[in-house]
């Protein structure tokens, strides 16, 4: 630092993108990135290589006057150390890397949030409409293009006021204002004023006017939390300063003058209300008139334009001008997931904090609203409304065709616990999970169906674990819980009624590691052991999963905690016919290259999915899951077809012998939307109760409140999106009934007619219509073929309709049945 005036090199770390305010790196200012103007004739590097032109002489004279002013102040007793070497001792600081905001958008392009220290969008100077630059010069420094960076009168006035005891003051040029910012000169003093002037001179010797104007325009504060000319133009007029003049939505001279007039004082103080037209329209218009007149005087607008001037309409402050629009809103929870995904893309914390990113998310605003309306207890529309404040819901909606998270509710406070994804506040880790209960059975079934498991397989409900402990079956008594009060159930019935015993033995038969592998293939990445150890499924395999103390056969029916968002990803795979997509929140990340103003896309969204389960087995599973929707009375509006699985995991509060519910789930969806709903304790686990439950203890189950949330969310989202009624693929029954199972298929015996004494003796009842028909038709055929009479009578005891051969003679059906 401390190079001579006019030197092209500012310092070892003074990389500059002129006109953008971008700073940092290892390059000198003289690099091409600076885009310096052509060297003046006679200047170092110019024609002749010697400083002999009139312009050069004027610059040298200005430098001498600046140094003389410094000496004058010293002689007047201001106490500035340095003397005649003051000029050379003041180093030119590198231009500032201006922090920008990151604009986070919904998938439709509307603003979801603005993240970053400042609401600023840096734009290259050469892209800025000239009328904006001229308006700013007219308002702040109309001689900007003619002077050499400093206001000598201001310096002398400051010196005189200091000598006479007056207030420290002095008007500043645009170059001086930027010099003050670049050198971080805050205190108002003669020392600061002189340093500001020296730095301004060195800026003018290093950069051309356009470059200085560009750095200034990207730095200035224009009120309402808007920094830089682009953020101001967007905020006050909804326009961009980069739109060329003459094109639609280009900034007009009048609008540019409004923006420029704010610079003098963007915020109110005790002595003046400032020049923001939204807060002080009278003074703002006066300042605008001053700016417009200067633009006319400098020839930057024509007399006709000036005569036709009209004060433009300014936008009122809106949520989109806030620093973080999603602050204190449930949708704000999504921002930590956005940051986590950006980090995976290679966007560092420093780069994110510097800002300038435009991130388009997957979130659909109407689907998001539906998720919040259904899941937030604060909404009167939610089934959660009116339940104890210790209860919490999570609602996740994913487009199964591509993995985009369309709606996400994980809590009302975006800075609180993320109950839907358990993502840490900084997006850097997983903080918890919940037991999925029977909703996890979809993965057990997916694993079995790949190995020819059939829903017709039979399972014994009375078998106990090897340790002699019975398998809990949703409160149902073993031995009589299947069809006709038998002990053996087919798998389809057990799935619909959510019995656990077939799943325990299925995991035992094919290996519990295959259940976990299926869950991993569907999208789960983490599971917790009973001891609380978080297991990363993506980096482990069965050699870890089968270790003692990890996962037992209970994994098949959801004992071990998972992350709801990952479970939702797995559910989406089932809904999508076995094709897996990674659940994600970001579709596109863009930034403007400060060097050339071109838009760069930093990522490419993955579109191809992976078939992890056979489509025919998924149609089989979906067919059974569609019956669960009907059983739980959760049919969707308009006859829309849905598939679902409930889940409940127990919790004992220790207050009595009763084991209640601690986690309740309802998962599934429609072809356009896979939905996962969890209800549990807020913070700590609690025993969940549902006032409308039919159970003795009013226990909550997955088929209760969670299923109501699930149904409301889908109905509201489908109506808002106007989705057509789309059915799942027709069910294909797969598997071999005898390959798995440990029970015996019950023999179905039709009980005799208690109103017929003959039936109790095994004889046909007189007047039995069915006997006549069956006996006539079947008996006539069977009896006739065997050479004997039929076995039944006709209607009301009459002959049947069979036929055949009796004693070698052909007879009619009536004749053949007369023996009935």
């Amino acid at each position: 630092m401390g190079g001579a005036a006019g030197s092209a090199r500012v310092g070892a770390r003074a990389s500059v993108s002129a006109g953008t305010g971008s700073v940092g790196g290892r390059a000198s200012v003289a690099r091409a990135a600076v885009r310096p103007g052509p060297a003046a004739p006679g200047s170092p590097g110019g024609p002749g290589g010697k400083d002999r032109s009139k312009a050069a002489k004027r610059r040298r004279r200005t430098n001498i006057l600046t140094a003389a002013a410094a000496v004058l102040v010293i002689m007047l007793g201001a106490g500035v150390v340095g003397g005649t070497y003051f000029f050379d001792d003041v180093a030119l600081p590198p231009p500032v890397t201006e922090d920008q905001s990151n604009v986070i958008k919904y998938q439709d392009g509307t603003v979801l949030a603005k993240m970053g220290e400042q609401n600023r969008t840096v734009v290259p100077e050469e892209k800025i409409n000239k009328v904006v630059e001229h308006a700013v010069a007219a308002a702040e420094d109309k001689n900007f293009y003619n002077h050499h960076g400093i206001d000598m009168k201001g310096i002398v006035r400051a010196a005189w006021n200091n000598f006479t005891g007056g207030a420290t003051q002095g008007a500043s040029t645009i170059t001086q204002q930027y010099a003050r910012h670049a050198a971080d000169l805050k205190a108002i003093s003669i020392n600061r004023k002189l340093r500001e002037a020296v730095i301004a001179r060195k800026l003018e010797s290093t950069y051309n006017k356009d470059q200085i104007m560009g750095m200034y325009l990207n730095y200035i504060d224009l009120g309402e939390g808007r920094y830089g000319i682009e953020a101001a133009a967007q905020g006050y007029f909804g326009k961009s300063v980069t739109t060329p003049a003459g094109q639609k939505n280009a900034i007009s001279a009048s609008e540019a003058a409004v923006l420029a007039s704010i610079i003098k004082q963007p915020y109110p103080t005790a002595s003046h209300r400032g020049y923001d037209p939204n807060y002080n329209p009278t003074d703002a218009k006066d300042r605008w008139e001053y700016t417009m007149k200067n633009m006319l005087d400098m020839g930057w607008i024509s007399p006709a334009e000036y005569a036709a001037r009209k004060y433009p309409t300014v936008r009122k402050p809106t949520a989109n001008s806030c620093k973080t629009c999603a602050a204190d809103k449930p949708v704000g929870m999504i921002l930590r997931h956005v940051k986590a995904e950006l980090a995976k893309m290679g966007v560092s914390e420093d780069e994110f904090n510097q800002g300038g990113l435009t991130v388009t998310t997957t979130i659909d605003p109407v689907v998001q609203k539906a998720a919040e309306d259904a899941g937030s207890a604060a909404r009167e529309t939610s089934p959660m409304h009116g339940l104890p404040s210790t209860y919490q819901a999570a609602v996740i909606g994913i487009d199964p065709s591509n993995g985009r998270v369309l709606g996400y509710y994980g809590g009302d406070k975006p800075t609180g616990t993320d109950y839907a994804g358990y993502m840490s506040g900084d997006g850097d880790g997983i903080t918890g999970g919940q037991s999925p209960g029977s909703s996890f059975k979809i993965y057990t079934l997916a694993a079995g169906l790949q190995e020819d498991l059939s829903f017709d397989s039979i399972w014994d409900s009375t078998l106990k674990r090897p340790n002699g402990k019975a398998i809990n079956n949703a409160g149902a008594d073993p031995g009589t819980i299947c069809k006709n009060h038998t002990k053996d159930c087919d798998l389809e019935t057990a799935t619909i009624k959510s019995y656990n015993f077939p799943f325990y033995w299925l995991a035992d038969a094919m290996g519990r590691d295959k259940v976990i592998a299926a869950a991993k293939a569907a999208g789960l990445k983490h599971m917790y052991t009973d001891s609380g150890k978080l297991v990363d499924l993506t980096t482990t395999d069965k050699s870890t999963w089968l270790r003692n103390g990890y996962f037992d056969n209970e994994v098949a029916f959801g004992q071990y905690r998972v992350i709801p968002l990952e479970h939702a990803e797995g559910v989406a795979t089932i809904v999508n016919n076995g094709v897996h997509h990674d659940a994600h929140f970001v579709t596109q990340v863009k930034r403007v290259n400060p060097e050339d103003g071109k838009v760069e896309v930093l990522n490419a969204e993955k579109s191809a999915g992976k078939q992890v389960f056979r489509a025919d087995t998924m149609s089989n599973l979906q067919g059974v899951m569609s019956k669960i929707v009907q059983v739980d009375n959760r049919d969707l509006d308009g006859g829309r077809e849905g598939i679902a699985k409930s889940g409940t995991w127990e919790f004992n509060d220790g207050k009595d012998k009763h084991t209640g519910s601690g986690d309740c789930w309802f998962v599934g969806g429609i072809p356009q939307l896979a939905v996962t709903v969890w209800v549990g304790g807020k913070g700590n686990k609690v025993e969940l109760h549902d006032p409308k439950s039919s159970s003795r203890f009013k226990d909550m189950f997955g088929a209760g409140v969670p299923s109501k949330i699930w149904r409301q969310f889908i109905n509201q989202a489908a109506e808002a999106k106007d989705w057509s009624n789309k059915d799942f693929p027709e069910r294909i029954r797969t598997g071999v009934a005898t390959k798995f199972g440990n029970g015996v298929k019950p023999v179905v015996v039709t009980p005799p007619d208690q109103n017929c004494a003959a039936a109790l003796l095994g004889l046909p009842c007189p007047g039995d219509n069915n006997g006549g028909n069956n006996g006539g038709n079947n008996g006539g055929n069977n009896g006739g073929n065997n050479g004997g009479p039929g076995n039944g009578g006709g209607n009301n005891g009459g002959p049947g309709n069979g036929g055949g051969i009796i004693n070698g003679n052909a007879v009619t059906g009536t004749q053949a049945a007369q023996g009935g």
Side-chain angles (χ1 to χ4, degrees), residues 388 390-391 649-664 679-682 684-690 695 697-700:
T390 54
Y391 292 12
W649 197 254
E650 63 188 26
F651 173 70
N652 192 337
D653 60 7
K655 296 179 181 178
D656 49 42
K657 294 182 179 180
H658 173 67
T659 299
S661 303
D663 294 293
C664 297
V679 175
K682 182 182 294 184
N684 298 321
K685 277 191 181 297
V686 297
E687 188 172 313
L688 302 172
H689 298 281
D690 181 357
S695 74
F697 295 96
K698 295 296 182 183
D699 292 320
M700 184 186 291

Side-chain angles (χ1 to χ4, degrees), residues 391-413:
Y391 292 12
Q392 176 66 48
V395 183
I396 306 163
I398 295 176
D399 183 339
S401 68
N402 50 35
R404 293 179 176 179
V405 181
L406 303 181
Y408 186 87
Y409 171 73
D412 292 314
K413 294 184 179 296

Side-chain angles (χ1 to χ4, degrees), residues 18-48:
T20 69
S22 176
V23 182
R26 296 174 296 278
S28 69
V29 176
R31 287 188 60 179
V34 179
R35 295 187 295 275
S43 66

